[in-house]
Amino acid sequence: MAYSDKVLDHYNNPRNVGTLDKSKKSVGTGLVGAPECGDVMRLQIEVDEETGLITDAKFKTFGCGSAIASSSLATEWLKGKTVNEALTIDNMDIVEELHLPPVKIHCSVLAEDAIKAAINDYRVKNGLEPIKFEESIIH
Amino acid sequence: MEELKLPVYLDNSATTPVDPRVLETMLPYFTENFGNAASRNHSFGWVAEEAVDYAREQVAQLINANPKEIIFTSGATEAINLAIKGVADMYAKQGNHIITVKTEHKAVIDTCKNLQKKGIDITFLEVQPDGLINLEELEKAFTPKTILVSVMFANNEIGVIQPIEEIARITHKHGALFMTDATQAAGKIPIDVQKTGIDLMTFTAHKMYGPKGVGALYVRRKNPRVKVTAQIDGGGHERGMRSGTLNVPGIVGFGKAAELCRLEMDTESKRLSELRDKLEQALLKLEESYVNGNTQHRLPHISNISFKYVEGEGLMMGFNKNIAVSSGSACTSASLEPSYVLVALGLDDELAHSSIRFSLGRFTTEAQIDYTIEQVANAVNRMRELSPLWEMHKEGIDLKTIQWSEH
Ligand SMILES: Cc1ncc(COP(=O)(O)O)c(C=O)c1O
Ligand code: FES
């Protein structure tokens, strides 16, 4: 199966690779997947307390090219959004943008899960209730 | 320096290109010599029959068999089905137990599972961490009902060669037949069915520079005389064991391919093992990289390496525009299962997901190996920069202590 140009672009020039200081209160970290499943995604956001805007986002991913591209794209989309806006990012938006084939949909689900996990981590750190999400269907 | 030819094909265990010398031999049998080898009454048929007879000799010679012991099929999968189901049917009165191994090709495993549903008992032997079976466990697996033992000659993912001669001896001691799937070994290393005591053996042309869609089953005719029940009914070709008009051009190509492999085996296996070792040693210099399977008893052209903390499919994407290999990671479908062969060796799923199989071939050059070393090493390093697991490893975090989200 050939990869789309957009997946290739993110794979070859991944955006926002790296690590934020997870001990900071303004940083939320989401770590999803499992090594034995062949995919682990770590996605981090840094939130400006005053404005509530996501000022920075970083990722590292162990997984296939589509998983790497999905998380790279997610960090791009996260920057500049408010936390609430970030919650509206849907895995199917990622599928559409990257032209992922059906067998790669779970890579995008992982990215959506990572966003939610990072937001919840941020919320808990800042004394807010974690949001309960419905189980994602495909894994 | 020799010139570098791209792309580099290092997936010869999946299939090989047809050698131009093989193709040349085949071509007339598509056009002017198109006859049906079963047509007894005219020269078109005679020419085809003669060509098939000659190819049968060439194929038999590769494994020191009698040409009468060769049954042509559409490939190894069909030959395996015929051998296992054919023995189960033919020897049903003697027993209903078959012994095989967890690391066999799906063609063997699924054929056995199919028989299981029909009431045949199947024992799937475990393998040791190096991929070899434990002969004591084999001994213990026999019952008075055992009719067949099927152990592959060499494994397709890791290249590990089983102790075939000993396995055959033990099998015969218990009065069962010994079959081996030699799809990966045939044409690559010497095989002598007489000396080794093989009763049934399967192999295929497309893994030895012949065409796809043609293979063979070797069935011993003497000491003991082995019989299989036909699984495809029809005109009674191949002495009734496999009906269907013979694929004459394919068989001619198979014969030529077998002959070339036999004549060039010594020099070729030496050349390939040197190139393979060069590749392997260079890639093992990367931190946290490991060879999978026994390296003493191994085909000369295969190397299976796990690059810990990077995922195989993601890694391959870093160079697969120019280099073709295959990965033990199967994170491509709803099933996120890594290679069952590597898992049978006792590898963590994680290491299995990190594995790449390199399989060299007749047309692999040293310049291509040098290029591969450079490209793969770069990709591994790049992927590790992207890997959260690598970062944790570098920070001294034991990944086993982390609570991963379940899938
Ligand atoms: C060990 C082994 N057995 C059987 C087969 C099946 O061979 P064929 O493609 O000729 O059916 C293969 C090839 O995929 C193989 O590697
Ligand atoms: S991470 Fe599993 S296929 Fe993409």
Side-chain angles (χ1 to χ4, degrees):
Chain A
M1 168 190 32
Y3 294 96
S4 72
D5 288 345
K6 284 188 178 158
V7 169
L8 282 171
D9 180 40
H10 278 281
Y11 177 89
N12 289 321
N13 313 290
R15 334 284 201 257
N16 309 309
V17 177
T19 311
L20 299 173
D21 180 357
K22 64 171 182 284
S23 64
K24 274 165 75 177
K25 221 175 113 190
S26 56
V27 170
T29 301
L31 182 66
V32 297
E36 53 272 22
C37 301
D39 39 34
V40 175
M41 219 177 254
R42 190 192 61 200
L43 200 141
Q44 296 181 297
I45 50 171
E46 176 146 29
V47 183
D48 184 311
E49 274 168 62
E50 309 260 294
T51 61
L53 286 177
I54 297 171
T55 53
D56 204 0
K58 296 264 185 231
F59 85 97
K60 280 200 179 184
T61 291
F62 165 87
C64 75
S66 305
I68 290 169
S70 296
S71 37
S72 168
L73 176 65
T75 57
E76 267 193 326
W77 280 356
L78 284 168
K79 283 203 215 175
K81 284 202 168 55
T82 65
V83 172
N84 282 340
E85 283 166 353
L87 283 170
T88 64
I89 296 176
D90 185 80
N91 83 287
M92 289 314 286
D93 301 338
I94 298 174
V95 170
E96 225 164 87
E97 172 69 18
L98 295 177
H99 305 294
L100 297 182
V103 294
K104 293 295 179 182
I105 290 179
H106 81 269
C107 318
S108 70
V109 172
L110 207 60
E112 188 189 314
D113 286 352
I115 294 173
K116 291 170 173 169
I119 289 174
N120 265 344
D121 182 56
Y122 169 78
R123 287 178 62 93
V124 170
K125 272 182 171 172
N126 289 277
L128 297 165
E129 281 280 298
I131 303 171
K132 284 220 163 49
F133 297 106
E134 277 175 45
E135 281 286 309
S136 7
I137 318 148
I138 320 161
H139 256 286
Chain B
M1 264 302 272
E2 58 186 318
E3 210 184 309
L4 172 64
K5 196 167 157 280
L6 294 180
V8 180
Y9 184 72
L10 294 178
D11 204 13
N12 287 277
S13 293
T15 193
T16 53
V18 171
D19 189 300
R21 296 169 291 180
V22 169
L23 178 64
E24 201 188 330
T25 320
M26 291 170 68
L27 285 175
Y29 294 91
F30 286 105
T31 50
E32 62 263 39
N33 302 332
F34 62 87
N36 185 328
S39 298
R40 290 280 148 77
N41 301 313
H42 51 66
S43 65
F44 294 89
W46 301 330
V47 169
E49 189 187 15
E50 211 173 289
V52 168
D53 286 345
Y54 186 62
R56 204 184 298 278
E57 275 173 41
Q58 290 171 311
V59 169
Q61 215 181 347
L62 176 69
I63 59 170
N64 193 25
N66 183 306
K68 292 201 178 91
E69 298 176 308
I70 301 295
I71 297 170
F72 287 118
T73 66
S74 65
T77 300
E78 189 198 328
I80 290 165
N81 272 266
L82 173 56
I84 299 178
K85 292 176 182 166
V87 164
D89 286 347
M90 182 62 72
Y91 296 86
K93 282 209 186 75
Q94 273 97 310
N96 66 344
H97 177 230
I98 294 175
I99 301 172
T100 185
V101 187
K102 285 198 165 163
T103 51
E104 294 289 310
H105 190 267
K106 280 284 179 202
V108 171
I109 304 235
D110 286 2
T111 299
C112 287
K113 285 193 175 157
N114 180 323
L115 289 177
Q116 221 167 14
K117 283 189 230 139
K118 298 181 175 138
I120 308 271
D121 284 332
I122 311 281
T123 301
F124 290 99
L125 294 174
E126 306 276 344
V127 293
Q128 299 168 322
D130 65 357
L132 292 173
I133 65 165
N134 180 330
L135 296 178
E136 281 166 28
E137 260 166 45
L138 171 65
E139 281 271 6
K140 282 191 234 146
F142 285 92
T143 75
K145 292 275 181 202
T146 308
I147 48 173
L148 179 71
V149 171
S150 179
V151 178
M152 72 202 314
F153 211 111
N155 183 271
N156 44 304
E157 289 192 29
I158 52 180
V160 165
I161 302 170
Q162 299 289 351
I164 294 300
E165 209 167 329
E166 280 101 311
I167 296 171
R169 211 189 53 239
I170 293 169
T171 302
H172 293 147
K173 196 175 77 188
H174 291 273
L177 294 173
F178 177 62
M179 135 160 190
T180 186
D181 173 14
T183 302
Q184 292 291 337
K188 314 291 165 57
I189 54 173
I191 296 180
D192 182 331
V193 290
Q194 300 309 331
K195 186 167 150 281
T196 322
I198 294 167
D199 297 315
L200 299 124
M201 186 177 107
T202 56
F203 49 125
T204 195
H206 77 92
K207 312 267 189 194
M208 45 195 267
Y209 313 98
K212 292 167 187 57
V214 55
L217 172 62
Y218 158 81
V219 185
R220 174 175 290 279
R221 268 168 70 91
K222 266 204 279 203
N223 311 313
R225 184 185 178 89
V226 178
K227 286 170 126 182
V228 294
T229 303
Q231 301 296 312
I232 297 180
D233 297 315
H237 307 76
E238 297 297 271
R239 299 199 321 289
M241 288 198 253
R242 198 277 188 179
S243 288
T245 297
L246 293 178
N247 168 6
V248 178
I251 289 168
V252 166
F254 190 9
K256 183 67 181 177
E259 180 181 282
L260 292 173
C261 282
R262 181 172 59 81
L263 296 175
E264 297 171 5
M265 189 181 295
D266 287 350
T267 43
E268 186 62 1
S269 64
K270 186 165 170 294
R271 185 183 81 89
L272 287 183
S273 65
E274 278 167 15
L275 287 182
R276 188 269 316 269
D277 292 346
K278 179 176 190 183
L279 173 73
E280 187 169 278
Q281 278 154 21
L283 292 179
L284 288 181
K285 290 212 180 90
L286 293 166
E287 268 176 89
E288 298 286 342
S289 55
Y290 306 93
V291 181
N292 297 313
N294 189 300
T295 53
Q296 298 302 310
H297 304 282
R298 186 168 56 152
L299 293 174
H301 61 289
I302 295 184
S303 175
N304 188 308
I305 305 181
S306 284
F307 302 99
K308 213 172 172 184
Y309 311 115
V310 297
E311 193 273 338
E313 202 191 328
L315 175 63
M316 280 198 303
M317 202 173 146
F319 50 75
N320 66 6
K321 210 173 102 225
N322 288 322
I323 303 173
V325 296
S326 76
S327 159
S329 180
C331 192
T332 48
S333 61
S335 89
L336 296 175
E337 269 160 40
S339 143
Y340 66 93
V341 171
L342 297 180
V343 170
L345 302 190
L347 242 66
D348 283 351
D349 282 4
E350 179 202 339
L351 263 183
H353 276 300
S354 301
S355 76
I356 300 281
R357 175 188 71 184
F358 302 90
S359 50
L360 287 62
R362 186 176 286 167
F363 304 103
T364 308
T365 65
E366 182 157 15
Q368 290 181 326
I369 291 299
D370 292 337
Y371 175 78
T372 302
I373 292 169
E374 181 196 307
Q375 292 289 310
V376 174
N378 285 343
V380 169
N381 290 329
R382 211 171 82 78
M383 283 298 107
R384 282 182 172 166
E385 286 307 307
L386 277 181
S387 166
L389 304 181
W390 179 249
E391 185 184 302
M392 291 176 195
H393 163 70
K394 281 285 159 187
E395 285 170 358
I397 298 169
D398 181 358
L399 298 179
K400 297 224 159 44
T401 63
I402 294 184
Q403 185 88 50
W404 300 104
S405 52
E406 288 300 326
H407 272 52

